[in-house]
Amino acid sequence: MEKVVIDTNVLVNFFLKTGLTGKAKDTIKYVLTKSTPIVFTNILEETTFILIREELMHKGIEKFYDQRDFIEKNGYETLFVYRKFIEFLMKFDILILENRCDIEDYQNIMEKFRLLPNDVLIVATCKHYGIKKIATFDEDFRRVEV
């Protein structure tokens, strides 16, 4: 089966109730049934961070340092959304691949396609592993041929 990277924005909208949740569910279902789903380590980190941040904001803890202090004091016991994400990755045996890239490719992709650094890392890692598709809502990837 073809390998498809699932981007952070699809995952976050899948786990949080947003205007894109329905589209995210359809995208995830398609990727799970028609391909080999992949998550890179930077996507794992970014998705986990956003889910924790959003859950803490929902609890009224909005500032970054207040969130950090909350976690230091209370741990993760009262946080549930990020756990659902981790359970999802395990349940569906999502392949987690380390980010890999050549520094020259990284710079060339950044300058050629005018992408932000995290998106450059995703594209460069796709190139490294020979992955041609990214499940994403990010319009910036439309400028890129992976």
Side-chain angles (χ1 to χ4, degrees):
M1 278 204 231
E2 183 176 37
K3 294 178 181 174
V4 177
V5 172
I6 307 172
D7 194 17
T8 300
N9 54 52
V10 173
L11 293 164
V12 167
N13 284 286
F14 181 78
F15 286 97
L16 299 177
K17 189 173 182 176
T18 72
L20 291 173
T21 298
K23 188 175 179 183
K25 287 180 180 180
D26 291 343
T27 301
I28 294 285
K29 182 179 178 182
Y30 181 83
V31 171
L32 290 177
T33 58
K34 304 288 185 189
S35 64
T36 300
I38 307 287
V39 168
F40 294 148
T41 51
N42 68 320
I43 295 169
L44 173 67
E45 181 278 330
E46 185 180 38
T47 302
T48 304
F49 177 82
I50 291 170
L51 294 175
I52 290 168
R53 181 192 70 201
E54 292 298 315
E55 189 167 2
L56 287 171
M57 288 177 71
H58 185 73
K59 293 176 180 273
I61 306 165
E62 299 199 9
K63 295 181 181 174
F64 173 79
Y65 291 107
D66 292 341
Q67 292 179 346
R68 186 191 65 185
D69 293 346
F70 176 90
I71 291 168
E72 183 179 339
K73 181 180 177 184
N74 302 294
Y76 293 95
E77 290 79 26
T78 63
L79 302 174
F80 301 101
V81 180
Y82 89 92
R83 285 189 191 153
K84 289 184 180 199
F85 169 54
I86 301 297
E87 289 168 6
F88 164 83
L89 295 174
M90 292 187 294
K91 177 180 179 180
F92 291 101
D93 202 25
I94 308 294
L95 184 59
I96 308 296
L97 294 178
E98 290 184 27
N99 291 96
R100 298 268 190 233
C101 67
D102 176 86
I103 192 65
E104 289 179 18
D105 282 343
Y106 182 87
Q107 182 179 12
N108 290 337
I109 291 166
M110 180 181 279
E111 293 173 359
K112 180 178 180 180
F113 298 110
R114 301 172 315 278
L115 296 171
L116 293 173
N118 199 50
D119 291 346
V120 174
L121 188 55
I122 291 169
V123 172
T125 302
C126 281
K127 182 177 178 184
H128 174 83
Y129 288 110
I131 297 170
K132 304 287 184 197
K133 291 192 177 177
I134 303 169
T136 185
F137 301 145
D138 187 340
E139 295 292 325
D140 291 342
F141 286 113
R142 293 188 188 275
R143 297 194 302 264
V144 179
E145 204 172 298
V146 181

